[in-house]
Amino acid sequence: MTVEIALAFSILCVSILFLVTEWIPMEAVALLTLGSLSVTGLLSPREALFGFSNPAVVTVWAVFILSGALTRTGVANIIGRYVLRLGGRSDILLITSIMISAGVMSAFMNNVAVAALLLPVIMDISRETGRMPSRLLMPLAYGCLLGGLTTLIGTPPNILVSDALRDNGLIGFKLFDYAPVGITVMATGVAFMVLVGRHLLPARDVSKAFSPRGSVDIREAYDLKKGMFLMHLPEDSKLAGKSLAQIRLRSLLGLNVAAITRKDRSTLAPPPSEPIRGGDILLVEGGMNRVKELMDSCRLVRIKQDVGVENLFAPGIEMVEAHLESTSPFVGKTIKDIDFRRHFGVNVLATKLGSTTMLWDFQDEVLEAGTRLLLQGPKERLEMLQKDANIQDLRKVSESTLVEIYKLHESLLTVEVFEDSGLAGKTLAETRLGETPGMRVLSVVRQGRIHAVPEPEDELLAGDRLIVQGSPENVDILKELEDVKMTEATGSPRLTDLESQEVGLVEAMLSPHTNLAGKNLRQLRFREKYDLTVLAIWRQGQAIISDLSHLPLRFGDALLLHGQRTNFSLVGQDPDFLVLTESAQEAPNLRRMKVSLCIFSGVLLLVVLGLLPIYIAAVIGSALMVVTKCLTMEEAYRSIEWKAVFLIAGMLPLGMALEQTGAARYLAEGVVSLAGPFGPVAVMGGLIAVTFMGTCFVPTAALVVLMAPIAIKTSADTGISPHSLMMAVAMAASASLVTPVSHPANVLVMGPGGYRFLDYVKVGLPLTLVLFVLLLFVVPLFWPL
């Protein structure tokens, strides 16, 4: 093994490690791989960048735009609904029609887009027929994946395989060259799901809350019973006369008020302006036990406001002002994301940008270059922070600056720990004071001595005075909640009373093309933007019902929304979300349907007749889709899966490096030495098996880039037809059926279907074994070895 081969293998192994673990975004992995090939000298800088001008990459993004135009103009929707209508109410016919309709559309469209398009339709069919979504959505995902095998443009791996053949001086696959093998594989997949797979599908229903008879049982759907309870206000409640916005249940305690009952009359999804009256019963979501603990810990008596800032200073403790430069790693992040207290042992007391100073409720504000942070902490911790955060300007702050510039004294409160307060004997962490937004314990005054920046494990004693930063209104509200009685949600209003003609429930997901993944509902200002409440989030087979506002969203999450039905369309029209009911979706641009069909048909005709290569025809077609207003330029950009584009462009040079350094030949010789004695079919079977195993963890596009040079070299060493081996690799790479993480289409249906990881293994593994055996017979039949 040469040094070049060892370097290539090292880069390959590290790249696969990061792709599998997802420690860093896969696009970044691809770009770092590209850069490392150039730095190590395995490729020239020009060769390292050739992926961005590669015809395969151009074809992929152009096909994404063509697919987006067909979706936007309603072509795909009409075709899908027509075919699904043929399924009737029979399980066999319904699964067959779902898979065939998804497969036919995926032959010419992006399979993730097809899954996203048909998902609301399938959910509507599920509600209309009374079938569980878990019985229909996995067949939808598998239909999309298997349908993409049938044409050149059906899936990126097919495009990459064809391009790899041309790069090696061979004839690439044409538009319908994949059809004989692909259709056979798809037909086998449909037959398997109908005869065997449907019996392996879980009987799990997370959308039972939406039965056509209006029999809402959310407790069995999202298990809201664990997170919903009743708050009974006494007739002389101190909260009477205040609005929901003023009592700040959502921002202060993370609670959502789903309904208010007043004299046997319920108001569902009350607006923030709804006033509270004595005797009201609030149906609240958010977790009763957590709220009880927090309220018990907050039975505080406020002694005074405008506490002197001198209570924040102690030996070894400094108050400093940090100026964030544009190069600071904190820019673009929120204070909550950074978690200064846990990571650096310092408190952030205020932020200042220009003339705007924030003393509380700044935890979710995104930090900008030029922001000044007011910090309190031990000197050594502040010095460490300055070094780690690349903060160039860290200035000590005097008491006069705290008062005159920051007005810090206006946000300080003194509270005393009494024997019966529930705080005495507990550590700061156990009191959960830090879980109350906008409240931080900055110092503990004990017997006249100041203990600034106390640690979470410090125990509180009776007689301690806590110097707390926060809104005085927060403390007042917590005190006013002391006379509220909390019970299980068994009376009126009940969980079954959440819907009416005006108010309803709907599920929504992050769109496949969204950039909101990783952000939480508070950052998105979801409640303010859509006037809808998120009652629960379904993630990987489990319902999450508490602390939702700070939970980072993931692709594949299903959000249970509650509110006015007229507001559902606001979410449906937002391209960042996918509402799982067709009536709330944005209406397609039907006026341009014929135009988009003509353009798409023209692209296919030019390719079939050989008048233009696929990448040129697709680019012209995508441009015409925008020019004829079948979709806007912004919609065109959003329809492109940029993650796939960067992944392919960044990983293609690695495939070139494996070939040029001899690493591909090295691996090919290993395959031949192991399987060669057993004949050509065994060699092909070895490549198929390795590819199938790779699909469980490695993105399909990256997998094909790595497998293509190995297949080419194996062909050269054994005399087996390169087209046969490449066809086998393409089929195996796109059949990503065993795990949910193997393909975005699988992740997309995971939330609405209520699937767990093992559900995919249970159904996908036997189907993969069937397809493995099938390919050994079918590929040589149409592409002789």
Side-chain angles (χ1 to χ4, degrees), residues 37 78 111 163 197 203 214 243 273 291 294 321 392 548 613 619:
L37 292 172
I78 290 177
N111 41 30
D163 191 70
S243 67
S273 58
V291 176
L294 186 58
E321 186 181 60
Q392 304 299 323
L548 300 181
V619 168

Side-chain angles (χ1 to χ4, degrees), residues 123 206 210 222 224 505-511 516 519-521 524 526-527 530 532-539 542 544 548 551-562 568 571 576-581 748 751-752:
M123 294 298 291
V206 300
F210 311 110
Y222 278 82
L224 291 184
L505 293 150
V506 73
E507 285 180 298
M509 303 179 63
L510 290 182
S511 163
L516 300 184
K519 298 182 179 180
N520 59 46
L521 296 172
L524 300 179
F526 191 93
R527 182 70 171 85
Y530 304 107
L532 294 170
T533 299
V534 180
L535 294 182
I537 295 177
W538 187 273
R539 173 178 294 173
Q542 294 184 340
I544 304 173
L548 300 181
L551 182 71
L553 298 178
R554 298 179 188 173
F555 178 61
D557 287 349
L559 283 63
L560 181 63
L561 308 180
H562 181 239
F568 293 162
V571 183
D576 284 315
F577 289 96
L578 177 66
V579 179
L580 302 186
T581 181
L748 188 66

Side-chain angles (χ1 to χ4, degrees), residues 426-445:
K426 290 185 177 181
T427 65
L428 275 175
E430 291 172 339
T431 64
R432 309 185 73 169
L433 284 174
E435 296 185 18
T436 305
M439 295 184 66
R440 286 171 296 281
V441 179
L442 305 183
S443 301
V444 176
V445 181

